[in-house]
Amino acid sequence: MFSSGLSLPSTYVPVPCPCSCVTAAVSWYDEFQRLYDTIPCVEVQALKEHNDQVLHLSFSHSGCSFASCSKDCTVKIWSNELDISLQHSSNMRPYNWSYTQFSQFNSDDSLLLVSENFTLLSRVRNKPYDVFGCWLNETNLISGNLHRIGRITSCSVLWLNNAFQGIESENVNVVKRLFKIQNLNASTIRTVMVADCSRYDSPDLLLDYEEQLAASSTCPVFDLGSDSEEEEAKPKQTLEPAVQELLDEGSVTAEDGLQQFFDDIMEGRVRPAMTDTELETKVAELFVRNRTKPPELNLLSTDSNSKTKYLIFTTGCLTYSPHQIGIKRILPHQMTTAGPVLGEERRSDEFFDSLDHVIDIHGHIIGMGLSPDHRYLYVNSRAWPRDCVISNPMQPPPIAEEIDLHVFDLKTMKEVKRALRAHRAYTPNEECFFIFLDVSRDFVASGAEDRHGYIWDRHYNICLAKLQHDNVVNSVAFSPVEQELLLTASDDTTIKVWRSPRVVRIQQAWKPRPRKLLFSWLMNQKS
């Protein structure tokens, strides 16, 4: 069922667990029981109310209910009791949806991204579809829109929306632009999520892997708001030497540099000749240099984490497949729709916003998830070949079948351990899709294309269980109040419910035995 690398001693010896992360473990025997008896690996129920592929699962924060999305274009709400039952189903086809992809409860569980009490409150434009959207607070959600500038150049705009948009007033904003970010080489912003920094100083679990930290990280993290020399190492497109020299000397503005660049092209001074895509990228870079608002100060130096949130999303700079994670700080005054709607307060040289941090994954990102305390970011990715060179943004490198699961500390902005491996995927770049993962206090789970869900232990870096389906597993979800309950959703149209052996034994003990019921009935008849 699992391989842990742990062995049960022949005699019980109360030896303190050497892993300081597991504060409740006082012996190896207790650790063995935790790893064997509390893993949600026993299938107890299969829900078959969807009639097409099930794409996503999300629990309410109370754990009392959960939502499922499917290609049958319904959002279903389930009641999480001893036997899970369907509570409500909403068909989104009347709103011209092709299918439902993602759902998320707000912090007080009163809203499900687009519905309250299962009645549609508002519709928000979201482009591309895999931005997904997310809640910023109880009543405001974040969406995205994409504006094409050229064939491979675009602009992503992230919007803050009021969930209640039935206000008929010209004096009250229901939408506000948060950030406007330029995309190069056919990349776009996708998979937006929000991390709350207020819980960083009291994490549920503090990962500490000295041996692994000593190893070189495979995913460099770049602080774009820092003045350190490491700034020079961040990945970026290089300009033509002549133009770069002019801009570095400060002798010309970006507009003059752009004109000089065009003159060099017309007079044949740019060698070798560039393709149309290379030319578009160079022009876009020159244009944006004096049109971008500088990044915020170093995120790690902020003293007001209690009210700060991070906007986290996938992005890129080399090709259309998402290969970087962008991080942008949201300040308290930006967390409301009050104020200018379209950014009228901006100067002409602040047309675009810059990112505060970029994590380069060197592979195709296919999933992201936050730990319950929002301290750690877990990332599913399929690696590119080492030292590969991308010459055409529309032809990304081939991706590995093995899925790497990376872990990043959002307080230190460092990768904290080597990538976890066990699960696999087989689709090529152009068909690659998102596989959702979830994190509990002790475990991390993920779907995979190999017809299994997987569970790892967060302390020891080991795969504990494989959960079988008949097709691709798209999504997994732990109960936020009971990590010994896990749901998996699959292309086989089912949702499977998994509980730990310990919980299964307890539930079976609660069930009355039929012979006792018969005896009780006979005694009542005699009396």
Side-chain angles (χ1 to χ4, degrees), residues 220-238 244 248 289 292-299 324 354-359:
V221 183
F222 304 101
D223 176 13
L224 305 188
S226 172
D227 294 327
S228 67
E229 294 180 0
E230 295 179 358
E231 167 77 8
E232 298 176 2
K234 69 177 184 290
K236 57 184 178 180
Q237 302 291 324
T238 57
Q244 184 70 60
D248 290 343
R289 277 181 171 255
T292 300
K293 185 178 180 180
E296 303 290 344
L297 296 176
N298 191 332
L299 291 181
Q324 292 179 326
S354 57
L355 304 183
D356 296 318
H357 264 78
V358 170
I359 302 174

Side-chain angles (χ1 to χ4, degrees), residues 58-60 62 64-68 74-80 85-92 94-95 103-106 109-122 135 164:
S58 63
F59 265 101
S60 63
S62 67
C64 295
S65 59
F66 65 90
S68 59
T74 64
V75 178
K76 296 186 187 298
I77 312 297
W78 307 80
S79 177
N80 181 24
S85 59
L86 181 62
Q87 185 177 355
H88 184 85
S89 180
S90 291
N91 184 6
M92 304 305 289
Y95 307 103
S103 65
Q104 186 183 60
F105 288 86
N106 68 342
D109 294 336
S110 62
L111 300 171
L112 179 63
L113 209 61
V114 295
S115 64
E116 180 186 33
N117 294 329
F118 323 120
T119 302
L120 189 70
L121 285 179
S122 61
W135 290 101
F164 303 94

Side-chain angles (χ1 to χ4, degrees), residues 376-506:
Y376 298 98
L377 177 67
Y378 287 73
V379 181
N380 268 336
S381 74
R382 298 173 61 184
W384 290 337
R386 182 175 297 182
D387 300 326
C388 64
V389 176
I390 301 176
S391 57
N392 184 347
M394 304 310 295
Q395 295 179 358
I399 50 180
E401 288 187 355
E402 296 83 5
I403 302 176
D404 294 330
L405 182 54
H406 302 276
V407 189
F408 298 93
D409 187 338
L410 292 179
K411 184 173 183 179
T412 63
M413 294 295 171
K414 293 181 179 179
E415 188 173 8
V416 295
K417 59 181 177 178
R418 290 192 300 268
L420 308 178
R421 281 188 176 179
H423 49 333
R424 303 174 72 88
Y426 308 107
T427 51
N429 266 307
E430 61 273 12
E431 300 175 14
C432 198
F433 54 87
F434 211 74
I435 293 177
F436 294 93
L437 57 92
D438 197 20
V439 188
S440 70
R441 189 179 68 87
D442 292 316
F443 306 126
V444 55
S446 174
E449 291 184 40
D450 57 13
R451 302 183 179 185
H452 289 87
Y454 289 82
I455 301 176
W456 293 265
D457 183 72
R458 293 181 64 193
H459 310 278
Y460 299 115
N461 268 12
I462 52 176
C463 182
L464 298 174
K466 292 175 65 176
L467 313 176
Q468 188 167 1
H469 273 267
D470 294 330
N471 210 324
V472 173
V473 178
N474 295 305
S475 181
V476 296
F478 285 102
S479 166
V481 296
E482 181 190 2
Q483 68 173 0
E484 294 179 49
L485 168 62
L486 177 71
L487 307 174
T488 55
S490 172
D491 280 358
D492 62 16
T493 75
T494 65
I495 300 169
K496 288 190 176 183
V497 184
W498 308 82
R499 296 188 184 272
S500 68
R502 185 186 70 88
V503 171
V504 170
R505 288 197 308 271
I506 294 173

Side-chain angles (χ1 to χ4, degrees), residues 60-343:
S60 63
H61 293 80
S62 67
C64 295
S65 59
F66 65 90
S68 59
C69 297
S70 169
K71 282 195 173 181
D72 64 12
C73 207
T74 64
V75 178
K76 296 186 187 298
I77 312 297
W78 307 80
S79 177
N80 181 24
E81 299 174 350
L82 188 60
D83 287 323
I84 293 173
S85 59
L86 181 62
Q87 185 177 355
H88 184 85
S89 180
S90 291
N91 184 6
M92 304 305 289
R93 292 196 189 280
Y95 307 103
N96 296 320
W97 288 27
S98 299
Y99 54 88
T100 57
Q101 176 78 33
F102 178 84
S103 65
Q104 186 183 60
F105 288 86
N106 68 342
S107 59
D108 63 5
D109 294 336
S110 62
L111 300 171
L112 179 63
L113 209 61
V114 295
S115 64
E116 180 186 33
N117 294 329
F118 323 120
T119 302
L120 189 70
L121 285 179
S122 61
R123 281 187 291 173
V124 174
R125 182 177 179 85
N126 207 35
K127 180 182 179 182
Y129 74 93
D130 48 3
V131 170
F132 296 139
C134 63
W135 290 101
L136 178 63
N137 49 42
E138 290 83 354
T139 58
N140 294 109
L141 57 97
I142 295 174
S143 66
N145 202 358
L146 183 68
H147 302 277
R148 292 290 178 187
I149 299 175
R151 193 171 72 90
I152 60 169
T153 308
S154 63
C155 173
S156 289
V157 182
L158 298 174
W159 294 89
L160 183 63
N161 307 268
N162 193 328
F164 303 94
Q165 297 193 5
I167 302 173
E168 299 295 335
S169 171
E170 296 180 357
N171 300 318
V172 179
N173 293 335
V174 295
V175 63
K176 179 182 179 180
R177 189 176 75 190
L178 273 179
F179 305 115
K180 190 174 185 179
I181 298 170
Q182 187 198 45
N183 304 312
L184 298 177
N185 289 320
S187 64
T188 60
I189 286 178
R190 312 173 189 215
T191 322
V192 176
M193 60 178 59
V194 172
D196 187 351
C197 308
S198 63
R199 302 176 62 187
Y200 285 1
D201 294 327
S202 56
D204 298 333
L205 167 69
L206 188 60
L207 299 179
D208 185 14
Y209 297 87
E210 294 183 359
E211 293 182 2
Q212 296 182 25
L213 283 173
S216 59
S217 173
T218 58
C219 302
V221 183
F222 304 101
D223 176 13
L224 305 188
S226 172
D227 294 327
S228 67
E229 294 180 0
E230 295 179 358
E231 167 77 8
E232 298 176 2
K234 69 177 184 290
K236 57 184 178 180
Q237 302 291 324
T238 57
L239 300 177
E240 291 301 315
V243 179
Q244 184 70 60
E245 182 179 353
L246 285 173
L247 292 176
D248 290 343
E249 291 175 356
S251 58
V252 294
T253 64
E255 288 82 356
D256 293 337
L258 185 60
Q259 184 60 53
Q260 180 67 53
F261 184 49
F262 285 144
D263 292 343
D264 289 343
I265 292 175
M266 297 301 295
E267 296 178 13
R269 292 196 294 266
V270 176
R271 290 288 185 269
M274 291 185 294
T275 65
D276 291 344
T277 56
E278 291 173 333
L279 177 60
E280 181 178 326
T281 299
K282 302 301 183 186
V283 170
E285 286 182 332
L286 281 168
F287 174 78
V288 80
R289 277 181 171 255
N290 279 3
R291 292 290 183 270
T292 300
K293 185 178 180 180
E296 303 290 344
L297 296 176
N298 191 332
L299 291 181
L300 305 182
S301 64
T302 180
D303 297 327
S304 58
N305 274 349
S306 59
K307 296 183 179 180
T308 302
K309 295 184 179 182
Y310 292 162
L311 192 62
I312 301 172
F313 45 83
T314 62
T315 181
C317 66
L318 302 174
T319 180
Y320 69 82
S321 64
H323 56 276
Q324 292 179 326
I325 298 170
I327 300 177
K328 184 68 178 175
R329 182 165 52 179
I330 308 176
L331 301 175
H333 72 273
Q334 297 172 313
M335 300 182 190
T336 173
T337 55
V341 179
L342 298 176

